[in-house]
Amino acid sequence: MTTPEALEPVDESWATALAFVAHPDDLEYGTAAAVARWTAQGKRIVYGLATSGEAGIDGVDPEQCGPLREAEERAGAAIVGVETVEFYGFPDGTVEYGLPLRRAVADAVRRHRPDVVLTGNYRGFWAPGQPNQADHIAVGQAVLDGVRDAANRWIFRDLGDPWHARRILVSGSPEATHGVDVTDTFDLGVASLEAHGEYLRGLVDNPMSEPREFLESIARQVGTRVGAKFGVSFEVIEL
């Protein structure tokens, strides 16, 4: 049996971050434990959600589901020390890569001026035979491009002064090279996901509906690669 390759520690010499993902709950499936570690260090992190997750609960109409999931996201964010949560109004389930999405990313970066930007896996698969979801792919790719757009003063010139983020940290990537020890903040990450109560109740016969068990199964595997009990992995893209 091949031993998984060790992950390098994520460089934590930064003060501010923007986490830009597709849906409420995307950050809570692992990344939130790292966010809790970083906010405890005094770092400021802002959450940006492309959608309100309004198509995410089968038994709840989107008109009711969107506000419900926004409230759950704000509650989960607060648990890990995040005060600012923004929703950008793209349609859940049918997000398209393109200029409007890149513009939303660039706007968020120029307004919040983060040192680093967090996002989720933008690749087609999580692992062989495990395809990614379309919104994740579109939003992740737009983050890669929109962050660079934000640094170019001649792109989206009406959005204010350019801002150059130092790097992008991609969680859940099959190409992860770095990791973070989240042993001390793992419970906060679980609680952050548990705040999405209505969403979790809507998951039927899905292992993702059991927050602690599901998160432990991933965090323990990553932990072995960072020399800790629990870990979160990242692909690091230097800009």
Side-chain angles (χ1 to χ4, degrees), residues 213-229:
E213 183 177 341
F214 185 82
L215 292 176
E216 278 195 6
S217 69
I218 299 171
R220 285 187 185 277
Q221 293 180 45
V222 178
T224 63
R225 302 177 66 188
V226 297
K229 182 178 181 181

Side-chain angles (χ1 to χ4, degrees), residues 95-132:
V95 178
E96 293 183 310
Y97 174 86
L99 289 178
L101 192 54
R102 282 171 50 190
R103 179 184 174 87
V105 174
D107 178 54
V109 170
R110 288 183 182 176
R111 285 187 294 108
H112 295 294
R113 306 173 79 81
D115 298 321
V116 302
V117 176
L118 312 175
T119 194
N121 181 22
Y122 59 91
R123 299 177 184 277
F125 287 79
W126 298 105
Q130 298 178 21
N132 200 352

Side-chain angles (χ1 to χ4, degrees), residues 15-189:
T16 59
L18 167 69
F20 196 118
V21 295
H23 315 108
D25 82 85
D26 283 356
L27 290 163
E28 284 69 37
Y29 277 103
T31 309
V35 170
R37 170 188 169 99
W38 292 327
T39 58
Q41 295 172 348
K43 303 183 193 303
R44 180 177 182 270
I45 300 179
V46 171
Y47 280 6
L49 290 300
T51 81
S52 296
E54 67 274 11
I57 304 177
D58 184 66
V60 181
D61 289 341
E63 292 74 17
Q64 287 75 46
C65 187
L68 183 157
R69 297 202 67 198
E70 287 187 5
E72 291 187 337
E73 180 63 19
R74 290 190 177 95
I79 289 170
V80 295
V82 174
E83 298 179 357
T84 302
V85 181
E86 299 178 343
F87 298 89
Y88 304 124
F90 289 87
D92 184 19
T94 58
V95 178
E96 293 183 310
Y97 174 86
L99 289 178
L101 192 54
R102 282 171 50 190
R103 179 184 174 87
V105 174
D107 178 54
V109 170
R110 288 183 182 176
R111 285 187 294 108
H112 295 294
R113 306 173 79 81
D115 298 321
V116 302
V117 176
L118 312 175
T119 194
N121 181 22
Y122 59 91
R123 299 177 184 277
F125 287 79
W126 298 105
Q130 298 178 21
N132 200 352
Q133 193 265 354
D135 288 355
H136 298 158
I137 298 169
V139 171
Q141 185 62 59
V143 168
L144 265 63
D145 294 333
V147 170
R148 289 176 291 176
D149 292 337
N152 187 329
R153 70 178 63 253
W154 307 123
I155 299 176
F156 305 129
R157 296 165 67 178
D158 59 318
L159 293 182
D161 293 334
W163 181 255
H164 185 97
R166 289 161 50 185
R167 67 179 60 90
I168 300 172
L169 303 179
V170 183
S171 65
S173 170
E175 302 295 329
T177 54
H178 292 66
V180 176
D181 178 353
V182 297
T183 304
D184 292 340
T185 54
F186 179 76
D187 287 345
L188 288 172

